[in-house]
Amino acid sequence: MIPRFAFAILCVFLVSPLGAQEPPERKKLVFPPGELQPQATPDDKPEPKVQDPAKIIDLFFLALQADKVDNAYDSLVKDTIIAERSEDVTALKARTTEALDNYGPIRGYEVIEDHAVGKSLFRRTSISLNSDLPLRWRFYFYRTGGEWKLVDLRVDDGLVELFDDAAKKRP
């Protein structure tokens, strides 16, 4: 049990100005009328995500045209399961560099076919317009969590197959 005297001293110390500190001054946030959130500065803005397969592929070919093979693949496989297999990505970069040496630099590309399977799978077949011979590129995307992600990529010089595929589609 606390003696009355000690209790009285303790109470005086707790409520007296000697033991008290000034509470820190609170800052007020003031939003101008019509604005619901503070405006972000350019440094605060997150990098926009590219979700459209067509845009992803376009950026890929633009980087290849600029002879930036590493950047092209790094952007293409960013945040995908393919990126986790770094040795495969390194091999793709090496084979693409070799193909560009053999077939010539890319001057552009054409979309040959878009094919959707349901709402979650998409394949785009394109040819790169290299200076010597074109290459066939097949990009396979899967839509997950509202985003399209690359799940497979095939590259070859199978131009004959493009003609065979086109002939099969004729009525």
Side-chain angles (χ1 to χ4, degrees):
M1 177 171 231
I2 299 177
R4 284 187 181 181
F5 177 73
F7 181 76
I9 292 175
L10 183 60
C11 287
V12 169
F13 180 73
L14 289 175
V15 295
S16 78
L18 296 174
Q21 294 180 352
E22 292 284 322
E25 184 178 321
R26 292 185 174 205
K27 293 184 180 181
K28 294 181 181 179
L29 293 177
V30 178
F31 298 102
E35 292 188 27
L36 300 177
Q37 297 178 358
Q39 296 296 313
T41 62
D43 296 337
D44 294 340
K45 291 183 181 176
E47 185 178 312
K49 289 190 175 187
V50 180
Q51 295 184 11
D52 178 25
K55 185 69 174 171
I56 294 169
I57 294 169
D58 190 43
L59 293 173
F60 174 73
F61 279 119
L62 285 173
L64 288 182
Q65 280 181 263
D67 199 29
K68 296 181 179 179
V69 174
D70 288 347
N71 291 351
Y73 278 101
D74 291 343
S75 294
L76 184 66
V77 302
K78 184 180 179 181
D79 298 328
T80 69
I81 194 166
I82 296 171
E84 295 172 10
R85 300 181 293 211
S86 60
E87 64 280 347
D88 292 344
V89 176
T90 301
L92 270 173
K93 291 175 182 180
R95 286 195 307 258
T96 300
T97 300
E98 183 181 337
L100 296 179
D101 290 341
N102 291 329
Y103 294 97
I106 293 177
R107 296 184 174 156
Y109 79 99
E110 292 179 14
V111 175
I112 302 301
E113 177 191 41
D114 285 342
H115 184 74
V117 177
K119 295 179 182 179
S120 300
L121 295 173
F122 176 78
R123 179 186 72 201
R124 171 166 279 182
T125 303
S126 299
I127 57 168
S128 58
L129 304 174
N130 301 57
S131 60
D132 296 327
L133 289 170
L135 290 170
R136 176 175 62 169
W137 301 76
R138 286 197 167 162
F139 301 88
Y140 295 84
F141 288 88
Y142 172 58
R143 186 178 179 114
T144 177
E147 291 185 63
W148 287 100
K149 294 188 179 190
L150 184 77
V151 292
D152 194 14
L153 169 64
R154 310 275 169 112
V155 184
D156 59 40
D157 58 359
L159 302 178
V160 173
E161 289 86 359
L162 285 174
F163 288 96
D164 292 342
D165 291 346
K168 288 177 191 175
K169 292 180 182 176
R170 289 187 192 149

